[in-house]
Amino acid sequence: EAGVTQFPSHSVIEKGQTVTLRCDPISGHDNLYWYRRVMGKEIKFLLHFVKESKQDESGMPNNRFLAERTGGTYSTLKVQPAELEDSGVYFCASAKTEGHEQYFGPGTRLTVT
Amino acid sequence: EDQVTQSPEALRLQEGESSSLNCSYTVSGLRGLFWYRQDPGKGPEFLFTLYSAGEEKEKERLKATLTKKESFLHITAPKPEDSATYLCAVRPLGGYSTLTFGKGTMLLVSP
């Protein structure tokens, strides 16, 4: 069974540019989560999808971040315009049900210069 | 506010030297405590879920235990391949299913 995949693995952009991160969850997992780890800090929750609906987006930093999950399959996280403080590693995780363990992807390392 | 504190921040062991990692948590109510292992450049890899005080789970050289205030990850006779960052996370009662993570303990096992 394929795990959670994320694309790209690395992205370096300039402040003010736009970046879109993609996550493909494990097949059959309705729950999809986005997390972020800023250097020196712990992994922090961004938002949670159940199928195509946003269940909880309380962790989204501001309206420069837009997440979508069309058709309840893969998800994208767009940052527009990017700021220096957006740099970090963005992780995606999926779970079969809300009560089950979450399986993480390898992450996308975003560097904003 | 839910809080997870892991100690020590870093731990260096000799191969075969057993030790424990600590995860202290403060939550309004615990729905689950999770241990993950993370290798450099990779995402967290699920190890264990603990749900109630007194519960224990084992996997190879790792054993996780849970009390009402903390969890321990015991590593028995570690090998160099056990070197990784070990992350603890909690899922509180109520609300949704998001995880609150600690900063992790970086373990290095020397041959």
Side-chain angles (χ1 to χ4, degrees):
Chain A
E1 179 181 85
V4 177
T5 57
Q6 294 186 244
F7 182 84
S9 56
H10 292 86
S11 180
V12 181
I13 61 172
E14 292 184 354
K15 176 181 171 181
Q17 289 186 322
T18 298
V19 64
T20 300
L21 314 180
R22 173 171 170 145
C23 167
D24 286 78
I26 294 172
S27 177
H29 283 197
D30 287 340
N31 292 266
L32 187 150
Y33 306 81
W34 283 98
Y35 292 86
R36 176 175 73 173
R37 184 167 197 167
V38 172
M39 188 177 294
K41 302 277 190 179
E42 65 274 20
I43 296 173
K44 285 203 169 177
F45 165 77
L46 294 178
L47 90 159
H48 169 209
F49 284 99
V50 177
K51 297 185 179 178
E52 66 275 8
S53 300
K54 291 176 186 174
Q55 178 85 330
D56 180 4
E57 50 185 332
S58 61
M60 294 287 262
N62 50 61
N63 59 11
R64 295 186 294 102
F65 289 74
L66 175 64
E68 295 179 325
R69 191 182 183 194
T70 308
T73 54
Y74 70 91
S75 174
T76 59
L77 180 64
K78 180 190 287 188
V79 185
Q80 179 183 30
E83 297 288 345
L84 298 177
E85 64 264 25
D86 301 332
S87 295
V89 182
Y90 290 76
F91 292 105
C92 174
S94 73
K96 199 162 191 177
T97 69
E98 284 195 49
H100 277 77
E101 56 272 9
Q102 297 175 21
Y103 294 90
F104 282 74
T108 293
R109 180 173 295 278
L110 174 64
T111 302
V112 183
T113 61
Chain B
E1 185 181 318
D2 303 326
Q3 200 163 8
V4 178
T5 303
Q6 292 188 247
S7 62
E9 289 184 11
L11 180 63
R12 186 166 189 152
L13 299 174
Q14 289 295 120
E15 184 171 3
E17 180 186 0
S18 302
S19 188
S20 297
L21 312 183
N22 178 263
C23 171
S24 297
Y25 62 90
T26 304
V27 292
S28 52
L30 184 70
R31 190 146 67 119
L33 184 141
F34 301 80
W35 281 98
Y36 285 84
R37 168 193 170 127
Q38 187 175 19
D39 292 295
K42 296 190 176 182
E45 175 190 341
F46 172 74
L47 292 174
F48 304 109
T49 310
L50 301 167
Y51 293 103
S52 56
E55 189 175 359
E56 299 182 352
K57 293 223 174 136
E58 285 189 68
K59 181 180 179 179
E60 295 180 356
R61 295 176 292 282
L62 301 177
K63 179 177 166 182
T65 61
L66 180 65
T67 72
K68 288 187 178 180
K69 293 184 177 180
E70 58 192 349
S71 176
F72 291 93
L73 185 65
H74 307 278
I75 304 176
T76 302
K79 297 182 177 181
E81 53 263 41
D82 294 322
S83 298
T85 294
Y86 290 86
L87 300 168
C88 173
V90 298
R91 176 182 292 156
L93 279 173
Y96 301 112
S97 57
T98 60
L99 298 177
T100 299
F101 279 89
K103 288 187 178 181
T105 293
M106 188 182 305
L107 174 67
L108 177 63
V109 182
S110 304

